[in-house]
Amino acid sequence: MATLDSKVPQGPIKDKWTDYKNHIDLVNPANKRHIDVIVVGTGLAGGSAAATLAELGYNVKAFAYQDSPRRAHSIAAQGGINAAKNYQGDGDSTYRLFYDTVKGGDYRSREANVYRLAEVSANIIDQCVAQGVPFARDYGGLLDNRSFGGVLVSRTFYAKGQTGQQLLLGAYSAMNRQIARGKIEMFNRHEMLDVVIVDGKARGIIARNLITGEIERHSAHAVVVGSGGYGNVYFLSTNAMGSNATAAWKIHKKGAFFANPCFTQIHPTCIPRSGDYQSKLTLMSESLRNDGRIWVPKHKEDVMAIREGRKKPTDLSEDQRDYYLERRYPAFGNLVPRDVASRAAKERCDAGYGVNATGEAVYLDFAAAIERYGKEQAKIHNILNPTKEKITQLGEAIVEAKYGNLFQMYEKIVDQNPYKTPMMIYPAVHYTMGGVWVDYNLMTTIPGCYCIGEANFSDHGANRLGASALMQGLADGYFVLPYTIGDYLADDIRTGKIPTNTKEFDEAEKEVTDRINFFVNNKGSKSVDYFHKKLGKVMWDKAGMSRNATGLKEAMAEIKAIREEFWKEVSVPGKANEMNPELEKAGRVADFLELGELFAKDALMREESCGGHFREESAEESGPQKGEAKRDDKNFAFVAAWEYKGEPANAVLHKEELEFKDIELKQRSYK
């Protein structure tokens, strides 16, 4: 097992990043044109990194499995992006953003990385405004903010409910400028299937052209992976169906350690599933919790009447409703962090208070907000004694301006008007805080191989605060990696082009082609989706919102059995040398089947509750009662290595000292 060195600079946390930048090696502009960088993934992290590195003068090859970077899953982010600009004057600061992010992550983040994230957050907003991102503005012309879960200030900048789309278009426009200049060579509809290591350094990738099926070799002096998270290991999630773990998993199997795989975020605000036929779930932005009140009926007879259609939710009076988040967590109310809100919804539904046919839904109600905004607008427009209908009309107009596209999306999917009846929501798999282990430079344990955005583990600990994903992706791509990668590449200014006609590329390509040929020639009896759904059910039932030792041991055994059956019985129609989506899925599900077992192993070893990992006591365990936190004495990250062509190596617990002793291991309190 290699020794892990996080390379966190010495000194006070507020000075680390500034002092570090003052002393790292740089590549001068004339030498950057002699250095090649591969960027895998062109969402917010990869797209911003590719654009910035090309702007600096590096030669960039960018790879996207979609037909355009505009199709990256970052486009689906709705609610906003955090930054410590304190436009509201409500007490925000760099330190408070840092503190909230560390606390929200249950003190499991690397604090130096998070402080740096908070420092550069304000720069992100300025950069995006300069690119033309249409952030919402208040009446005075300043950028508007709203609040998200787990914080006591308003620091979330937004563009209606389309923030991810607008930010991605900004990064894409920056990329296009460099594509036109010839500094970015764009490879759409290409998938990275392996990393090539030469003399211990990442020196290229093997990619498949998804249109023609051709296997290609691409070399570079460094490889950057920004391929997103692995939430689709659950099959049903809010991720796009194409989102996958393959790029990150391939570098893991070549020696890049994987950290905290079991830290998965279950988002509380999703449209409930309606049956077993669904292939994905749909997110409703957390921003809705600013104005929506979450409740279930107090009495089970009302629950049954609603399920059977004998009552509507609007028939229940206030005293017949249980606003359970407001009741349990009065300081934060409906804006508790995502893990808290998700488990609370599950607890109410498990207790029999779920309001839809499956019993897996709670209400998100905007009636109070509509009335409040309507009365405010009536005063603004000097309407005396407005009717109830007028108040509703004025209030709905404000809600539509803030959340209109989200309401429209909900109505199209559920066929209910959320202005007139409460939305139904239920938790669903959304984001993965775990990922590839990286040091302070964002380099993995493979020299020259970097990992950025959701694909790495460093910034969110055990639970991500809402609106921090976009912040991390753009911070890594625009403001962190462009500095840190130069420190490594400074040694490569005389290296010259990396040849691809070497034994290392030969071996990597053979491995990829052998695997592809196996899939198309196996002629098994079951589809790829059959195995993916089986894996997803095991993951959700036994490694979902709560886990216990018995279930996790069962999950590991079941996943291993599914994997063995997969390699015997998987059937992939079509050929290798053509466009073949089933072949693409086969490779990705094979990786999920390995990742799922590591995920369960991490959760089993982690005998504590923290953030997205909620450990229950099973019959074979002793110690704290169900749900009570079992905490280690130090901040740590679970890190595992995968032997090259073998089974998982021994896992290790990597402990990192907390730098802020005053917040060390405090219980998160939202009461």
Side-chain angles (χ1 to χ4, degrees):
M1 182 68 70
T3 301
L4 290 166
D5 180 6
S6 62
K7 296 186 173 67
V8 173
Q10 297 299 310
I13 196 166
K14 65 183 179 61
D15 300 327
K16 287 182 188 293
W17 181 231
T18 300
D19 290 347
Y20 179 81
K21 289 189 294 182
N22 289 340
H23 295 98
I24 58 174
D25 290 337
L26 301 175
V27 181
N28 84 41
N31 286 331
K32 288 190 176 94
R33 67 176 70 103
H34 303 304
I35 293 179
D36 304 322
V37 180
I38 285 172
V39 179
V40 180
T42 52
L44 284 181
S48 59
T52 308
L53 293 171
E55 181 79 40
L56 289 172
Y58 296 107
N59 307 310
V60 177
K61 286 184 173 183
F63 293 81
Y65 75 80
Q66 302 95 343
D67 52 10
S68 165
R70 290 181 299 124
R71 300 275 291 173
H73 188 59
S74 301
I75 203 170
Q78 298 163 342
I81 176 171
N82 290 331
K85 275 188 167 293
N86 195 28
Y87 278 168
Q88 304 288 340
D90 57 0
D92 202 7
S93 64
T94 297
Y95 178 84
R96 186 171 287 276
L97 174 53
F98 155 72
Y99 180 91
D100 286 345
T101 305
V102 173
K103 180 182 179 185
D106 226 347
Y107 307 100
R108 298 305 193 275
S109 317
R110 180 185 290 142
E111 294 190 354
N113 290 56
V114 179
Y115 197 91
R116 175 175 65 186
L117 177 67
E119 275 186 276
V120 305
S121 65
N123 297 340
I124 298 171
I125 304 303
D126 296 338
Q127 169 96 355
C128 294
V129 169
Q131 291 172 341
V133 173
F135 286 118
R137 294 181 181 268
D138 64 19
Y139 70 95
L142 287 177
L143 300 182
D144 199 11
N145 290 135
R146 52 192 179 199
S147 188
F148 264 50
V151 303
L152 296 174
V153 297
S154 291
R155 65 162 67 100
T156 304
F157 295 78
Y158 64 98
K160 208 170 186 180
Q162 306 169 348
T163 314
Q165 177 179 356
Q166 299 302 331
L167 293 172
L168 186 63
L169 290 173
Y172 179 58
S173 66
M175 283 185 70
N176 269 341
R177 181 168 175 270
Q178 300 306 322
I179 292 170
R181 294 178 61 216
K183 295 302 293 181
I184 293 179
E185 188 177 359
M186 188 69 224
F187 293 88
N188 294 324
R189 301 293 289 139
H190 279 66
E191 182 167 28
M192 170 187 158
L193 294 180
D194 210 349
V195 63
V196 181
I197 298 176
V198 181
D199 296 329
K201 298 179 178 181
R203 291 302 200 189
I205 66 170
I206 305 297
R208 180 172 181 266
N209 182 323
L210 299 180
I211 302 296
T212 66
E214 181 183 358
I215 304 299
E216 301 175 2
R217 304 179 181 192
H218 297 275
S219 68
H221 298 91
V223 175
V224 179
V225 173
S227 54
Y230 48 88
N232 276 351
V233 70
Y234 284 88
F235 186 70
L236 281 180
S237 81
T238 65
N239 290 276
M241 290 183 67
S243 297
N244 64 86
T246 290
W249 195 246
K250 295 308 183 190
I251 65 173
H252 174 48
K253 293 188 74 170
K254 285 291 181 73
F257 286 7
F258 213 92
N260 302 336
C262 82
F263 284 169
T264 304
Q265 182 164 83
I266 313 291
H267 197 294
T269 319
C270 301
I271 297 178
R273 68 180 183 91
S274 52
D276 295 333
Y277 52 82
Q278 280 183 254
S279 55
K280 78 175 299 293
L281 298 170
T282 303
L283 173 70
M284 289 283 100
S285 168
E286 181 174 323
S287 62
L288 295 173
R289 290 200 277 146
N290 272 278
D291 287 314
R293 300 178 70 195
I294 296 173
W295 63 276
V296 292
K298 281 184 180 178
H299 308 295
K300 288 191 177 178
E301 53 266 33
D302 289 331
V303 173
M304 296 311 299
I306 288 172
R307 286 188 193 176
E308 295 167 5
R310 292 182 283 109
K311 278 188 177 180
K312 297 178 181 177
T314 49
D315 293 336
L316 271 60
S317 61
E318 283 290 296
D319 60 351
Q320 294 174 312
R321 304 178 180 195
D322 177 15
Y323 295 95
Y324 57 88
L325 290 179
E326 297 172 25
R327 170 171 57 83
R328 295 180 185 178
Y329 313 103
F332 285 78
N334 295 296
L335 283 172
V336 292
R338 292 175 174 179
D339 62 317
V340 178
S342 292
R343 283 195 297 274
K346 182 178 188 293
E347 184 276 328
R348 287 289 79 197
C349 291
D350 288 351
Y353 293 92
V355 294
N356 69 346
T358 65
E360 296 178 346
V362 299
Y363 286 126
L364 182 64
D365 196 334
F366 289 85
I370 289 171
E371 182 179 358
R372 184 177 72 251
Y373 285 129
K375 289 179 177 178
E376 181 181 272
Q377 289 298 305
K379 288 183 180 296
I380 289 171
H381 292 94
N382 200 28
I383 302 173
L384 302 177
N385 300 317
T387 63
K388 185 177 180 181
E389 290 74 18
K390 186 63 178 178
I391 290 172
T392 300
Q393 178 191 349
L394 292 169
E396 286 181 356
I398 298 298
V399 170
E400 182 178 9
K402 297 179 75 171
Y403 313 112
N405 61 309
L406 300 172
F407 277 49
Q408 183 183 37
M409 184 164 61
Y410 180 89
E411 186 168 4
K412 282 181 176 292
I413 292 171
V414 182
D415 195 26
Q416 290 182 4
N417 182 348
Y419 295 100
K420 305 301 182 187
T421 189
M423 283 185 180
M424 288 184 292
I425 57 168
Y426 193 70
V429 173
H430 179 53
Y431 187 90
T432 52
M433 287 76 68
V436 177
W437 186 92
V438 293
D439 62 18
Y440 191 70
N441 297 320
L442 305 182
M443 190 190 292
T444 70
T445 45
I446 301 173
C449 183
Y450 292 79
C451 191
I452 59 177
E454 187 180 357
N456 78 28
F457 90 108
S458 63
D459 290 11
H460 306 298
N463 178 56
R464 177 176 68 81
L465 289 183
S468 287
L470 307 186
M471 176 175 62
Q472 186 210 349
L474 292 181
D476 286 356
Y478 282 139
F479 297 111
V480 179
L481 181 74
Y483 279 102
T484 62
I485 200 170
D487 190 46
Y488 171 80
L489 292 173
D491 293 333
D492 271 321
I493 58 177
R494 295 186 181 89
T495 302
K497 285 281 183 186
I498 307 295
T500 59
N501 57 343
T502 61
K503 66 179 178 60
E504 291 88 354
F505 276 90
D506 291 344
E507 291 169 0
E509 182 176 330
K510 183 178 186 304
E511 225 176 295
V512 167
T513 53
D514 286 350
R515 182 168 162 130
I516 288 172
N517 289 335
F518 167 82
F519 283 133
V520 296
N521 294 323
N522 191 51
K523 309 304 180 190
S525 61
K526 295 181 174 68
S527 70
V528 175
D529 279 346
Y530 167 84
F531 294 101
H532 198 176
K533 286 180 180 179
K534 282 189 75 172
L535 171 65
K537 179 165 175 50
V538 172
M539 293 296 295
W540 181 252
D541 289 346
K542 298 179 179 178
M545 268 191 279
S546 60
R547 299 103 185 238
N548 61 57
T550 302
L552 290 166
K553 289 174 183 175
E554 291 171 355
M556 290 172 66
E558 290 172 26
I559 294 168
K560 186 176 182 180
I562 295 168
R563 189 168 73 243
E564 289 172 355
E565 184 187 10
F566 172 86
W567 287 106
K568 292 176 184 175
E569 293 296 332
V570 70
S571 173
V572 177
K575 302 174 183 176
N577 58 346
E578 63 183 8
M579 186 173 178
N580 189 341
E582 287 299 308
L583 176 59
E584 297 169 32
K585 283 197 292 186
R588 295 167 188 169
V589 171
D591 295 333
F592 280 138
L593 285 164
E594 293 175 348
L595 170 59
E597 192 171 340
L598 183 67
F599 184 123
K601 184 175 184 179
D602 175 20
L604 181 63
M605 291 185 66
R606 195 179 288 281
E607 294 183 351
E608 58 165 0
S609 288
C610 53
H613 171 66
F614 189 69
R615 182 68 175 264
E616 294 181 332
E617 184 182 5
S618 57
E620 64 189 67
E621 291 181 294
S622 60
Q625 295 300 308
K626 175 180 176 181
E628 184 180 334
K630 295 181 277 185
R631 295 180 180 276
D632 193 13
D633 61 340
K634 292 291 180 188
N635 188 34
F636 67 82
F638 174 93
V639 182
W642 193 284
E643 293 176 355
Y644 182 37
K645 296 184 180 175
E647 286 298 306
N650 291 330
V652 299
L653 290 178
H654 168 57
K655 296 184 178 181
E656 293 184 298
E657 291 286 337
L658 282 165
E659 289 146 343
F660 271 75
K661 299 299 180 185
D662 61 319
I663 63 172
E664 182 172 349
L665 299 178
K666 284 183 181 176
Q667 293 275 359
R668 285 186 307 159
S669 176
Y670 296 97
K671 295 184 179 179

